[in-house]
Amino acid sequence: MENSYLQVNDLSNILGGLSPQAIYKMLKAKELESIMISPRKKVIPPESVRTILIDKGFKYQKQILAFDMIKGGVGKTTLSSTVAARASHYGCKTLIIDFDLQGNLSRSFELPNKTYKIWIDIVKDNVDVNETIINVSPYLDIIPSNLNNSRLDIEMQHASTNIKDHVKDILDNVIDNYDLIIIDCPPAINKVSASAICASDKVIIPLNPDPYAMDGLVMTLNEIKRIKKSFKLKNPDYMIVWNKYDARKRLGAIYMHDLASQIKVEHILPVVIRTDTSYENAIANAASIFEASKNTNAKEDIDQMAREIIGLNKWVEENSIDK
């Protein structure tokens, strides 16, 4: 995991091109940790990154995001897990919640199956939410899932759960511990997804360049609209992120143009996630995409998406960083 932390050059790019020597001097002056993981590579752990960014004036915004798309296979789980991990590298205290009954997100963090408390235990047995939280790395926690969550909707029905406030009320018990909470919703219309949307400040909708995903987008937007109307909610807003884009395929450009003509630009995340085999390789090797020594599209795109979500890009644009 340490291999995936920010390197000095990463921090230098954020801090207005501050030289590596100046960053090392800053680390030493504040007695902050850095880790030598090879003769030529030193990384900065999340706690040190957080201290430096706060000292420079960056404020971590508290927010709850639901990653949702009614159609499966759009890369929702991959995006939510990698963005959460990268946000934590930037010192953002992050909780990720796996609501997908398949538990693919939980497995991506190598959690053993069925040996932990999950959300259904909160609903069915009144388990404290803190008992379901597992720390997977510095500044990154997870509430995992497994197949037992397949009965979540049934148990919520039996418990006469208040859909509007269910997830929100439970997260209110831990919200002060985190800057960012990401909810990985299942690809379906159900009670837990509706409750997650009600609790969220924003819904992130991954979209692939294919007609089925476009149909799924329409259904997802209609469902968000229905939920907001039914429960008289102002939030959540939504952002679409273009995923699995391949510039070699003409169809991708066509669908991207169609999207831009139908959706207001403020609802489209200014990041394009390109197709890359790094995601599959990382899963096969039980590793993070950021542990790879060479630069990849995956590393660059997820890094930019994480920075966009936690507000770093906007902060850099709006503020001149003193060198």
Side-chain angles (χ1 to χ4, degrees):
M1 181 60 70
E2 290 178 351
N3 285 337
S4 61
Y5 289 166
L6 294 188
Q7 297 185 50
V8 171
N9 287 340
D10 297 322
L11 200 53
S12 174
N13 291 334
I14 296 171
L15 300 179
L18 199 67
S19 70
Q21 291 78 11
I23 291 178
Y24 286 129
K25 184 177 179 181
M26 187 186 308
L27 289 167
K28 184 177 180 180
K30 295 182 176 298
E31 298 183 344
L32 298 176
E33 181 185 15
S34 60
I35 303 171
M36 184 71 72
I37 59 175
S38 74
R40 294 187 177 182
K41 185 177 180 181
K42 180 176 282 190
V43 296
I44 308 175
E47 184 176 3
S48 297
V49 175
R50 183 181 182 90
T51 300
I52 289 173
L53 290 179
I54 290 176
D55 183 69
K56 287 294 183 179
F58 178 67
K59 295 181 180 179
Y60 292 88
Q61 175 187 353
K62 282 190 175 294
Q63 53 182 331
I64 300 175
L65 306 179
F67 278 57
D68 191 35
M69 173 55 135
I70 289 174
K71 179 188 178 299
V74 296
K76 173 179 56 62
T77 295
T78 298
L79 288 183
S80 58
S81 62
T82 52
V83 167
R86 195 54 171 174
S88 72
H89 298 160
Y90 280 107
C92 184
K93 297 178 180 179
T94 305
L95 171 67
I96 185 166
I97 304 172
D98 189 356
F99 272 152
D100 195 330
L101 61 91
Q102 298 178 72
N104 289 334
L105 185 148
S106 302
R107 284 199 294 272
S108 72
F109 291 105
E110 297 187 271
L111 296 179
N113 195 28
K114 295 185 179 180
T115 61
Y116 38 74
K117 301 293 185 181
I118 60 176
W119 200 271
I120 197 170
D121 297 309
I122 298 175
V123 176
K124 184 179 178 181
D125 300 323
N126 202 31
V127 167
D128 189 295
V129 63
N130 288 285
E131 294 183 38
T132 69
I133 296 175
I134 299 173
N135 176 252
V136 292
S137 65
Y139 286 25
L140 180 59
D141 294 344
I142 182 173
I143 296 178
S145 180
N146 58 41
L147 285 172
N148 290 332
N149 265 345
S150 61
R151 290 185 52 83
L152 193 48
D153 257 35
I154 297 173
E155 295 298 336
M156 289 176 70
Q157 181 71 36
H158 287 169
S160 300
T161 301
N162 180 337
I163 293 176
K164 177 184 176 183
D165 297 323
H166 170 65
V167 171
K168 178 184 180 299
D169 286 349
I170 291 172
L171 292 183
D172 278 348
N173 295 297
V174 297
I175 189 73
D176 290 341
N177 300 331
Y178 301 101
D179 306 306
L180 174 64
I181 297 178
I182 290 178
I183 305 173
D184 183 32
C185 296
I189 298 174
N190 57 25
K191 290 181 175 61
V192 70
S193 290
S195 189
I197 289 172
C198 288
S200 299
D201 301 299
K202 193 172 295 181
V203 180
I204 306 297
I205 308 172
L207 181 65
N208 297 352
D210 69 69
Y212 304 109
M214 297 297 287
D215 291 343
L217 173 63
V218 173
M219 293 179 65
T220 302
L221 292 178
N222 285 339
E223 178 65 3
I224 294 172
K225 183 178 180 180
R226 182 193 69 80
I227 290 170
K228 291 174 69 173
K229 183 178 180 180
S230 297
F231 297 111
K232 298 180 174 59
L233 299 173
K234 181 179 180 181
N235 286 331
D237 200 351
Y238 69 88
M239 293 292 288
I240 298 167
V241 56
W242 200 252
N243 193 32
K244 299 184 180 180
Y245 177 72
D246 190 338
R248 298 169 298 180
K249 297 181 179 180
R250 183 170 175 267
L251 200 59
I254 293 174
Y255 282 123
M256 186 177 288
H257 181 270
D258 288 345
L259 178 69
S261 66
Q262 298 175 40
I263 303 293
K264 293 181 179 179
V265 67
E266 58 263 31
H267 290 300
I268 302 176
L269 205 67
V271 176
V272 173
I273 309 299
R274 293 164 288 183
T275 184
D276 194 328
T277 57
S278 297
Y279 299 108
E280 290 82 1
N281 294 338
I283 293 172
N285 296 325
S288 164
I289 60 171
F290 293 100
E291 291 184 43
S293 57
K294 65 177 183 179
N295 291 327
T296 65
N297 289 342
K299 289 172 66 174
E300 181 179 334
D301 297 345
I302 296 300
D303 180 72
Q304 284 300 313
M305 184 173 174
R307 288 172 56 167
E308 196 68 35
I309 282 176
I310 66 177
L312 261 178
N313 283 346
K314 183 178 180 180
W315 177 69
V316 169
E317 290 174 4
E318 293 179 348
N319 297 274
S320 58
I321 309 300
D322 295 328
K323 297 185 180 181

